[in-house]
Amino acid sequence: MRFALTEEQIEFRAVVRGLLADTCGPDELRAAWPDAELAGGGPGGGNGRVPGAWSALAEMGVLGIMVPEANGGLEMTQEDLVPLLIEAGWAALPDPVSATAGVAVTLLAQATDSEKRAGELLAGIAAGELSFGCAFLAGRVATSNFVPAATSLDQILLCVNDQVHVVGPASLPLERVQSVDGARDLFRIDLVDQLDNSTVLLTGEAAESATRSAFDFAALGAAAELIGLSRRMLEMTVLYATERKQFGVQIGSFQAVKHHLTNASLAVEFAEPLVLRAANSLALGNPQASVHVSMAKAKASAAAKAAAAASLQVHGAIGYTVEYDLHLYMKRSWALAGEFGDVEFHRRRVSDELLAI
Amino acid sequence: MDLTWSESEEAFRTEARSWLESNVPTPALPSGDTKEGFALHLDWEHRLAADNWSVVSWPKAFGGRDASLWEWLIFEEEYYRVGGPQRVTQNGIFLLAPTIFEFGTPAQQEYYLPRMSSAVDLWCQGWSEPNAGSDLAAVRSKATRDDAAGGWRLSGQKTWTTRGAFCNYLFGLFRTDPESERHKGMTYFMVPLEGDGVTVRGFGRLDGDEGFAEVFFDDLFIPDDDGTAATMARGGILGEVNQGWGVAMATTSSERGLTLRSPGRFQATATRLVELAREQVGNGLSEQMADAVADAWMDAEAYSLFTLSDVSGVVEGKAMGARSSYNKIFWSELDVRLHEVALDLLGPSAELDGPWMKGYQFALSGPIYAGTNEIQRNIVAERVLGLPRK
Ligand SMILES: Cc1cc2nc3c(=O)[nH]c(=O)nc-3n(C[C@H](O)[C@H](O)[C@H](O)COP(=O)(O)OP(=O)(O)OC[C@H]3O[C@@H](n4cnc5c(N)ncnc54)[C@H](O)[C@@H]3O)c2cc1C
């Protein structure tokens, strides 16, 4: 028994954090927003990507972390990737790290036997050349048909009932929608009926089971990012509460303020172990993995909402403006809290398992 | 990350399980917080001790099994899984013992620990006083030096002393420096509750059981330690005179942290909650209630995983420090939630005297004892998050 990251995982995580702190600060984030006014600054015209951070991660091999060695990857596991996604969340990196390194690799790895293309795509991910999006359009998982930064992606994986397709964004009917979080530069893909056989990656049983594990990863990836986002918001807020003075004292010395932040921090501290456990379960193919993912996503979503609410309250009006950085992290939390199954969806998966209704 | 148990840990589990399954009394014992119930619990404690199950993680010499922290967690899980009785010895074995291990002389360890593990001596905790609750440093009970007689004379009052009316010893803080204020000048005493100079009055808790006591000291004499058993039987001092605050803090962090409330206890309650809900599946269980059950279950899982992660750090030498306040807040509020959901499931029959209502009333004290949750929140904010004290 040892429920802790390894030395190497801790080191990798620290390196990624440092790299993201350098390449994906609030300025770079604002630049990812298409609309400078909504972002509260920046040049405008962004496409939901932070190219400096993405290429640095690609160079470090983060994207190919789960890709088999045979395809040029590091052949590590969900346990290695998930802590890095917490860091991606901490930086609010909008780029599709979870979708590419986690969801797409999960799907593609299950298709390498039947599809030569799958191996090539995996190699492309490992080489840092390909970015992926993923949508779950119909089937037994929660419908998730929003794809951030879709037009910037190389490929989009579509899970539709018992089929998995891989399609370039140009050949898909993408409808641009406005996310509360502009850095997500969001597109909706509605159920596509003109998909043909040329884009099929998996069908039947294989597709259904791959879809389930891909969805599990997608939910877990979002949960991990939510943990990082929560930590970031709380760090910002603790800092602010020690700087801002009212009544002649630091506002952080007021007990009401302390308790708001402690409550949010409690939610985060007790959600993170659920996230790490789910990563372990996915890595080992634990039969309970989906339930573990649901616990993680339900609790991480709730924790992030609590952290956002407490952070805003403690900031007061300064937090209520787009010119201050907090909104960049808060809005991502709101977006991800509902992605790949919201609290209700995942709690229901847990209660179905417990109560077998 | 390795979330599996080793072969020897599994073997330990099997051994514990089979012993518990054949020894845990059925039907469950009545509450140990009444005179009659306490006597039955004492029989149980003696049975545990006879087969060396009362304090598994202690050294063998003191009645334990030298079990690792992991094995202790496993034992607790099995204990509560089979519905083992509440531990009426807990304040001694979980709260005082760690302090004796840390501050006791070898002679004190040899004298007090085996008597504690075999439930010969029964210890209660004497921190609180009428005017010293959350503000423990306001303790007024005092010990006056009697050089002629070679010892200390204790006077004052302790209160809220759990099972004080049934125990024969108390540990607590007494002011030994009359000039001192606040955290300074207090000494950690171990005190017999029998004989001249001490009066104990038991009284009812919220559920009516006589689980509380107030303890009055009137010149109770504690002789200086001469290393003999006869003297130690009459009480003594742990650590240095006037250094009691530091000694006491070692105990309060065990109380908040994992030793007092292992995850097994809440997992067992969560399992019983799920069983209760299952009885209503197809028979009126609403989706809303099913969700509430799932939510409470997830929190019990989270507590268990949080503990595994803490213990992973502790076995590698990391101190839990103020993080133990997270545990305290979480387990106590989790316990309340688990019972609230159960009572909601029971509907109108929730009000009837039964294990859930009884458990609920007890759960409600969790956010109060062991340092109230308001105080714990202050501790987290200041010592973990780093917010300013003043
Ligand atoms: C079931 C039970 C068993 C107990 N067993 C024992 C025992 O065996 N031995 C023992 O010594 N004691 C025992 N206690 C007593 C317990 O330790 C005290 O109740 C506790 O320390 C709180 O003290 P108080 O009750 O005097 O409340 P107070 O300290 O008067 O507090 C009342 C309220 O004010 C709040 N408050 C106080 N100070 C602050 C602050 N600085 N910031 C914010 N809020 C504050 C508290 O959080 C609480 O909500 C037990 C209590 C219970 C309920």
Side-chain angles (χ1 to χ4, degrees), chain B residues 22-33:
Chain B
S22 40
N23 284 278
V24 162
T26 46
L29 300 181
S31 160
D33 300 327

Side-chain angles (χ1 to χ4, degrees), chain A residues 255, chain B residues 125 127-128 133-134 160 162 212 365 368 372 374-375 378:
Chain A
Q255 200 167 64
Chain B
Q125 177 179 231
W127 298 143
S128 307
S134 300
W160 318 123
T162 294
F212 275 146
S365 68
I368 301 173
T372 70
E374 286 74 27
I375 299 292
N378 294 347

Side-chain angles (χ1 to χ4, degrees), chain B residues 125-187:
Chain B
Q125 177 179 231
W127 298 143
S128 307
E129 298 182 2
N131 288 308
S134 300
D135 186 11
L136 184 56
V139 158
R140 282 192 210 157
S141 292
K142 60 180 186 191
T144 312
R145 186 66 205 157
D146 184 341
D147 275 328
W152 296 88
R153 296 198 176 273
L154 272 47
S155 57
Q157 183 194 348
K158 299 288 177 183
T159 191
W160 318 123
T161 319
T162 294
R163 290 181 290 276
F166 319 129
C167 291
N168 55 349
Y169 281 94
L170 170 147
F171 58 93
L173 286 177
F174 292 78
R175 206 163 279 286
T176 34
D177 176 356
E179 309 287 293
S180 69
E181 277 180 39
R182 311 288 304 158
H183 309 79
K184 302 205 181 85
M186 289 189 278
T187 300

Side-chain angles (χ1 to χ4, degrees), chain B residues 282-345:
Chain B
N283 184 22
L285 182 71
S286 67
E287 283 199 335
Q288 193 194 347
M289 282 313 303
D291 284 350
V293 170
D295 208 62
W297 170 274
M298 289 191 267
D299 284 338
E301 285 273 302
Y303 183 61
S304 158
L305 290 163
F306 185 89
T307 305
L308 292 180
S309 133
D310 268 354
V311 172
S312 300
V314 170
V315 299
E316 288 171 14
K318 290 188 199 115
M320 266 174 80
R323 277 179 65 82
S324 67
S325 292
Y326 277 124
N327 289 57
K328 202 274 142 155
I329 301 170
F330 199 84
W331 65 246
S332 56
E333 295 177 5
L334 162 64
D335 204 23
V336 173
R337 281 197 295 282
L338 287 164
H339 286 87
E340 276 172 348
V341 177
L343 294 179
D344 284 347
L345 282 169

Side-chain angles (χ1 to χ4, degrees), chain B residues 2-72:
Chain B
D2 173 12
L3 295 181
T4 59
W5 299 107
S6 71
E7 246 170 67
S8 71
E9 286 159 347
E10 288 293 3
F12 178 87
R13 183 188 293 280
T14 310
E15 195 189 347
R17 177 176 295 184
S18 74
W19 189 88
L20 288 164
E21 278 174 352
S22 40
N23 284 278
V24 162
T26 46
L29 300 181
S31 160
D33 300 327
T34 63
K35 214 176 191 67
E36 307 71 42
F38 189 81
L40 296 171
H41 278 74
L42 213 49
D43 293 343
W44 163 245
E45 288 293 335
H46 292 147
R47 199 174 333 155
L48 274 171
D51 288 338
N52 291 71
W53 289 109
S54 64
V55 286
V56 293
S57 60
W58 291 18
K60 289 199 176 101
F62 300 137
R65 292 178 170 247
D66 275 318
S68 68
L69 207 43
W70 294 123
E71 288 168 332
W72 175 75

Side-chain angles (χ1 to χ4, degrees), chain A residues 19-45:
Chain A
L19 177 156
L20 290 173
D22 292 344
T23 55
C24 185
D27 289 346
E28 288 84 4
L29 264 182
R30 283 201 171 81
W33 285 57
D35 185 324
E37 222 165 291
L38 290 177

